[in-house]
Amino acid sequence: MRDTDRSFIAGFLDADGSIYVRLKPNSDYRYDFQIVPVIVFFQKKEKVLILEHIKDLLNVGYLRFRRDGIVEYTIGDHKGLRKIINVVLKYAVLKKEQLILMEAILSYKGSVKTANDFLILAKMIDKFEDLNYSKKRSVKSQQVKSRLIDKGLL
Amino acid sequence: MRDTDRSFIAGFLDADGSIYVRLKPNSDYRYDFQIVPVIVFFQKKEKVLILEHIKDLLNVGYLRFRRDGIVEYTIGDHKGLRKIINVVLKYAVLKKEQLILMEAILSYKGSVKTANDFLILAKMIDKFEDLNYSKKRSVKSQQVKSRLIDKGLL
């Protein structure tokens, strides 16, 4: 990919993209939480062209047309996330820290072996709340910790 | 400026910028309307860093902190507008047509000599309504035409 395509996507992401990791309660998972990392772009449906353009450049993720007229371009699989991080990291300004944190979480996630490892992962995810200026500032790792203690794993 | 800075700004503009020309009723002006071309970026105040970064790269325009927590980065002078158009035109995808139209309007504006010329300029400005998917779709050139007829200039 050309450097100018990479920096174009970085600029678009800085303006309009969201980078975060959800911790979803889900008892199908070993520690009762599912880790859902995502990079997503939102645009009005009239501007879907630009999302298609970026999707064509990256060749990852998928578009979803919501009923309210918003189109989401979502990248949620690890391979796709690593690709977009690799593409834009050099050029992102505002979201560089989120990209580095996301990369660290993807790497660490693969090495989680114990409940304590999982709690560290949850604490890494908490950091997104600060970086994304989240108003809720929910401390998800506290919920994870409580759950792991309830299960007798901590 | 580096090509990657140019394409970064183009990506940011495509995601988050607005390009339009206002036709403001103002009897101080010869044809009773003021032409106000503008390129503007909006971000939450927490993200002012990215607007400052782009302003430093372009060295045009100014920031305005609104009371509702939004920061506007506005470029409204002709020299500044020509500069940003020149910087991003090659790399813009979604807003390329608006940039070309803005450039045409800035050029044509300097050559307006008659009421009829001014009406043509107003019709060029109408085109932004289509390009920007404006919901109001106000036909400003009709108002200009009525006014010019009232003044006995058409």
Side-chain angles (χ1 to χ4, degrees), chain A residues 33-48:
Chain A
F33 287 89
Q34 183 186 1
I35 307 286
V36 186
V38 67
I39 293 179
V40 60
F41 301 90
F42 303 90
Q43 285 286 312
K44 289 184 211 165
K45 67 174 187 299
E46 292 85 355
K47 300 184 182 175
V48 65

Side-chain angles (χ1 to χ4, degrees), chain A:
Chain A
M1 197 185 296
R2 284 176 302 192
D3 282 345
T4 51
D5 285 331
R6 295 172 62 182
S7 52
F8 179 92
I9 298 170
F12 199 90
L13 180 75
D14 264 355
D16 192 55
S18 288
I19 305 170
Y20 55 92
V21 180
R22 281 192 294 163
L23 259 171
K24 286 172 72 174
N26 186 334
S27 60
D28 292 343
Y29 287 76
R30 186 171 169 198
Y31 300 114
D32 283 3
F33 287 89
Q34 183 186 1
I35 307 286
V36 186
V38 67
I39 293 179
V40 60
F41 301 90
F42 303 90
Q43 285 286 312
K44 289 184 211 165
K45 67 174 187 299
E46 292 85 355
K47 300 184 182 175
V48 65
L49 174 73
I50 190 67
L51 297 180
E52 284 169 349
H53 173 72
I54 293 172
K55 183 169 174 286
D56 287 346
L57 287 171
L58 289 170
N59 203 25
V60 298
Y62 59 92
L63 297 179
R64 187 169 77 89
F65 289 77
R66 297 186 344 201
R67 288 188 183 189
D68 61 0
I70 301 294
V71 187
E72 294 178 2
Y73 171 34
T74 302
I75 300 151
D77 62 296
H78 285 212
K79 202 176 157 194
L81 287 166
R82 286 188 189 280
K83 172 125 183 230
I84 184 171
I85 292 168
N86 183 49
V87 162
V88 300
L89 188 60
K90 182 175 169 188
Y91 299 106
V93 178
L94 197 65
K95 299 218 160 80
K96 201 181 270 289
E97 286 180 279
Q98 282 97 317
L99 290 166
I100 292 167
L101 178 58
M102 175 72 89
E103 195 167 47
I105 286 168
L106 295 177
S107 297
Y108 187 78
K109 190 169 175 278
S111 75
V112 168
K113 295 250 176 348
T114 67
N116 208 50
D117 293 345
F118 192 79
L119 184 58
I120 290 168
L121 184 63
K123 285 180 178 169
M124 291 171 78
I125 292 168
D126 281 346
K127 284 181 182 286
F128 274 105
E129 303 278 321
D130 290 322
L131 294 177
N132 289 335
Y133 309 106
S134 173
K135 276 172 189 151
K136 283 189 286 182
R137 304 260 168 168
S138 57
V139 183
K140 289 295 183 103
S141 63
Q142 291 289 1
Q143 294 174 41
V144 170
K145 190 175 182 183
S146 300
R147 188 74 201 124
L148 294 173
I149 290 169
D150 287 351
K151 284 171 78 89
L153 295 172
L154 277 183

Side-chain angles (χ1 to χ4, degrees), chain B residues 108-153:
Chain B
Y108 187 77
K109 190 169 175 280
S111 75
V112 168
K113 294 251 178 346
T114 67
N116 208 49
D117 292 346
F118 193 79
L119 184 58
I120 289 168
L121 184 63
K123 284 180 179 169
M124 291 170 79
I125 292 168
D126 280 346
K127 284 181 182 286
F128 274 105
E129 303 279 322
D130 290 322
L131 294 177
N132 289 336
Y133 309 105
S134 173
K135 274 170 191 155
K136 283 189 285 183
R137 303 261 169 167
S138 57
V139 183
K140 288 295 182 105
S141 62
Q142 291 290 358
Q143 293 174 42
V144 170
K145 190 176 182 182
S146 300
R147 189 74 201 122
L148 294 174
I149 289 169
D150 287 350
K151 283 171 79 88
L153 294 171

